[in-house]
Amino acid sequence: MAQIDIRNLTKVNKERNTVHDQVYATYTVFDNSGEKYLQIDTYGKPARENPEKISQSFQFNREVAAYLANLLIEEFELKFQ
């Protein structure tokens, strides 16, 4: 598995985009050498050959979580009271 490198995360404009189907996902929180991580695992579509097998995992430490939270706030123009 790989972690997102936020120092090289680049916005691109694509001509064709599609909305993906929703899939089952779980998350776990764990500590690695004193650093907290949140991991989201997706399991793909129920009709796939091994639906219980993890399809993708995304890991976020504090730095990545803060970066992505700010990106979501900016891109969706979110306002909090």
Side-chain angles (χ1 to χ4, degrees), residues 29-73:
V29 177
F30 63 95
D31 182 271
N32 185 316
S33 300
E35 186 168 18
K36 187 175 187 176
Y37 286 85
L38 182 141
Q39 178 171 310
I40 298 174
D41 298 318
T42 65
Y43 293 84
K45 297 178 182 178
R48 66 187 276 204
E49 189 173 320
N50 294 315
E52 302 88 22
K53 185 178 177 191
I54 293 173
S55 176
Q56 294 179 333
S57 293
F58 302 93
Q59 292 181 336
F60 308 98
N61 63 8
R62 185 176 187 87
E63 178 186 18
V64 173
Y67 180 90
L68 292 176
N70 286 324
L71 182 61
L72 291 168
I73 289 167

